[in-house]
Every structure is written in structure tokens, then in C-alpha cells.
Amino acid sequence: MYVECPTWCSTDHVAENVRLLEDLSHSGEAADLAIPGGPGYRLLAHARLGLDPFTEDVSERQPYVLVDNQSEPFVLRPVEAEVFADRLEVFAARVRALARSAS
């Protein structure tokens, strides 16, 4: 059965070979939050768009932002993602101020 993807979907559904519609989900490219150190960086979290059009969870049948810290995924509605982004900006300003104080 053909299921049209949102324009932002980067999932290769043919390679996934999903057999049940309930298992089909759309994912966008991830935005990574990384901490420098060691060889390269360490991934703290990533965020991506998601959509599960046939899931039993009705709230995930609309696009959402998934923030995953590698131990727990958080599914955010668009308004919640905006609040989270605002809090990230405040956090970034505080980390910058700490770095300047440490210098």
C-alpha cells in the first residue's frame, strides 16, 4: 500500500520493509546537541520531527518533535517544542555566562 510521506520525512520506507501499517512512522533528519571532548564530541540529545499516522496513540498521528537524550524519548507537541526551545536559549545564555566567569 502506498502511503505518502510528509516533505520532511527522510525515512527509507522500502528499506524498512514494514509489514503492518501500525508500524509505519515518518522521521525527519535529526538535530544533535553535542558536548565537545574526547575524540570529537559526545551526543547529549537529538531532536527530530516524527509522525506515526496509524498508531493507537492519537496524539502521535499529528507531527510532533521527538527529543531523545539516549535514555528517554520525549514527544513534544509543536507548542511544547517552542517552550523547550525558549528554555534551551536561556540555558545556553547561562552556560555562556558560566564559561565567561570561568575564564
Side-chain angles (χ1 to χ4, degrees):
M1 168 184 234
Y2 173 76
V3 175
E4 188 169 342
C5 288
T7 57
W8 47 261
C9 182
S10 60
T11 303
D12 182 350
H13 295 291
V14 174
E16 263 190 345
N17 196 22
V18 173
R19 302 212 186 272
L20 301 172
L21 279 177
E22 301 85 46
D23 296 333
L24 182 126
S25 63
H26 300 288
S27 293
E29 294 295 325
D32 294 337
L33 177 58
I35 296 177
Y41 69 91
R42 291 173 287 168
L43 183 65
L44 183 63
H46 72 262
R48 66 168 175 78
L49 286 173
L51 173 66
D52 301 322
F54 303 103
T55 185
E56 290 182 16
D57 186 344
V58 177
S59 68
E60 293 180 15
R61 291 183 189 171
Q62 297 296 318
Y64 55 84
V65 176
L66 178 81
V67 178
D68 191 345
N69 65 5
Q70 302 207 15
S71 65
E72 182 176 2
F74 298 91
V75 174
L76 305 176
R77 304 277 55 89
V79 69
E80 294 169 328
E82 290 279 349
V83 170
F84 178 65
D86 291 342
R87 291 177 180 171
L88 283 174
E89 288 176 349
V90 170
F91 179 76
R94 289 181 179 164
V95 170
R96 188 168 283 114
L98 291 169
R100 289 180 181 148
S101 293
S103 294

